[in-house]
Amino acid sequence: MNALHLVALLLATQAPESFPGRTALSTPRAELGAIASRILSVQDTEARVLLRLEDDWAVGLIRRDAAVFRRLLADGFIYTENDRTVGRDDVLHDIVAGPDTVETAHNEAMQVHRFGTTAVVTGWLVVSGHGPSGPFDRRYRFTDTWVRGGGRWQIVAAHDYLVPTRQR
């Protein structure tokens, strides 16, 4: 049950005398509306923060910015791409010193799915650049798992699926 449903249930079960000086019909609606607005505002703010962090990831790829990834990646971070699984240190190394140079990167169609202090962000990461085999254009379907702790969001797991060229 999400927080909005819980608030509605609590307000709906209050006796009319629980709201002195107000009618039973207007008080729960007014209270629910105010509480719901505050809950949705907090959720919208958190969603915007997560989307901004996802965009920081894309910019960090272009800049090979180890500091950004040290901030974003939690200790114990796990990354999977297709059939490969690596940890935080390997991801940092690949981004900073790997053979590919990312020239452009952006996210598309991102959605935030909140579960309290955990969130899953899904979307598309589109990158282009060049590597040992020449220029590349890649499109990844991603699922990133974020956890909020110590006043900030950090990514604990990420999975990317590289869409084969023929399917684009």
Side-chain angles (χ1 to χ4, degrees):
M1 176 180 296
N2 70 33
L4 190 57
H5 288 121
L6 181 60
V7 170
L9 179 63
L10 289 172
L11 289 173
T13 60
Q14 295 295 309
E17 60 273 7
S18 299
F19 304 102
R22 301 184 195 176
T23 65
L25 292 176
S26 66
T27 301
R29 281 193 192 135
E31 295 290 326
L32 178 58
I35 292 169
S37 292
R38 286 191 298 272
I39 290 170
L40 293 175
S41 176
V42 168
Q43 289 176 342
D44 288 346
T45 299
E46 292 295 318
R48 282 192 301 273
V49 167
L50 288 160
L51 295 176
R52 192 171 331 119
L53 292 171
E54 290 287 354
D55 287 337
D56 288 350
W57 177 292
V59 171
L61 288 174
I62 297 167
R63 296 181 181 163
R64 292 184 176 249
D65 193 339
V68 165
F69 288 95
R70 279 191 209 97
R71 177 176 50 88
L72 295 177
L73 305 180
D75 290 338
F77 170 79
I78 298 296
Y79 174 76
T80 59
E81 180 182 322
N82 301 331
D83 64 346
R84 177 180 155 221
T85 301
V86 297
R88 183 178 193 266
D89 292 340
D90 290 329
V91 170
L92 285 168
H93 179 268
D94 286 351
I95 289 167
V96 175
D100 289 342
T101 299
V102 175
E103 296 166 347
T104 66
H106 70 275
N107 294 304
E108 297 176 350
M110 291 189 291
Q111 293 185 345
V112 176
H113 312 270
R114 290 281 310 276
F115 304 93
T117 58
T118 303
V120 174
V121 179
T122 58
W124 293 95
L125 172 64
V126 181
V127 299
S128 64
H130 64 277
S133 303
F136 61 80
D137 291 302
R138 297 178 183 150
R139 187 170 179 83
Y140 295 92
R141 178 52 130 164
F142 72 83
T143 302
D144 293 342
T145 304
W146 296 83
V147 174
R148 184 167 178 79
R152 67 182 178 148
W153 287 98
Q154 282 194 303
I155 190 167
V156 295
H159 175 77
D160 289 345
Y161 168 73
L162 176 59
V163 178
T165 305
R166 66 184 180 282
Q167 291 183 4
R168 293 185 210 160

